[in-house]
Amino acid sequence: MKKIFLVFAFTSLLFSNPYDEIKSLLGGLYKSFTANFTISGSSGNLMSGKIYYQYPGKLHVKTSDGGVIATNGRYLWIYNPASGRCMKQDVGGTGGGILGILKSYDGKRSGDSFIFRNPNKKITEIGIRVSKGMIRSVRFQTEDSSYTVSFSNVQFSGGIRASLFNYKPPASAQVIENPLNK
């Protein structure tokens, strides 16, 4: 009985809040992985695609409509094939991702699901389901709408081409440098 109490007390100290708990469960974010994703909104919008991630902070997202979001940790590219524009933003090695966002929210855990709330943010609620060291879905709630990003076919691997993270837009694309600095 003493051992059980000590384990419980140690676990409670180690994971004193939902943010620490979810961070400890997401070992997959500290590895390289690929996954399929689907985005569905409360208005019924739907988008899908493939995500490539390489720790730390390198990302390439290819959407079903041909759009691309990519970062090598130094630059962020967002390419919209419908407009033919590619935004290139110097991000100077900053990061944060979903864990950085959650720091400013209060959370609760129920099994493999977490709800983080902050009524003072535009996104007032973030619901996250985790399994096997990885985020399986994230629901973002605003005052009047919501959307959910679901991940499937998650594969941990180290064989992702480095060129994916140094995006080169099509030659016909209009590249807009540092639009957030203007």
Side-chain angles (χ1 to χ4, degrees):
M1 187 64 148
K2 232 183 222 189
K3 281 185 180 181
I4 292 172
F5 175 74
L6 287 174
V7 168
F8 178 75
F10 179 73
T11 304
S12 295
L13 287 173
L14 188 59
F15 304 114
S16 59
N17 66 54
Y19 176 79
D20 290 337
E21 290 179 49
I22 197 167
K23 191 174 174 184
S24 74
L25 294 173
L26 293 177
L29 292 182
Y30 303 100
K31 300 177 183 177
S32 296
F33 68 87
T34 61
N36 296 328
F37 71 89
T38 303
I39 302 173
S40 55
S42 54
S43 62
N45 295 339
L46 186 66
M47 180 184 285
S48 61
K50 182 109 178 175
I51 182 171
Y52 303 85
Y53 175 81
Q54 188 175 66
Y55 182 79
K58 294 179 181 178
L59 177 74
H60 183 98
V61 176
K62 177 86 173 189
T63 62
S64 53
D65 66 356
V68 173
I69 300 169
T71 184
N72 60 9
R74 174 74 179 142
Y75 295 102
L76 171 70
W77 294 269
I78 302 174
Y79 173 64
N80 180 342
S83 69
R85 292 186 178 137
C86 181
M87 310 312 164
K88 180 182 178 186
Q89 181 68 41
D90 184 339
V91 292
T94 61
I98 190 71
L99 292 175
I101 293 168
L102 294 178
K103 284 183 179 181
S104 62
Y105 286 75
D106 293 322
K108 290 186 180 185
R109 180 181 183 179
S110 178
D112 66 353
S113 296
F114 293 80
I115 301 287
F116 291 88
R117 291 186 175 104
N118 185 335
N120 300 317
K121 298 280 190 179
K122 181 173 171 126
I123 297 173
T124 57
E125 184 175 292
I126 302 172
I128 300 176
R129 189 176 59 79
V130 299
S131 173
K132 298 181 183 173
M134 194 60 199
I135 294 173
R136 298 304 167 165
S137 66
V138 182
R139 183 183 49 79
F140 298 94
Q141 179 72 47
T142 65
E143 189 175 301
D144 54 0
S145 67
S146 69
Y147 62 96
T148 301
V149 181
S150 301
F151 298 96
S152 62
N153 196 28
V154 177
Q155 307 216 351
F156 297 104
S157 66
I160 302 172
R161 294 186 333 262
S163 62
L164 281 175
F165 309 115
N166 294 304
Y167 182 66
K168 302 227 183 306
S172 61
Q174 176 190 6
V175 178
I176 301 168
E177 299 265 348
N178 294 312
L180 298 177
N181 298 0
K182 295 178 182 185

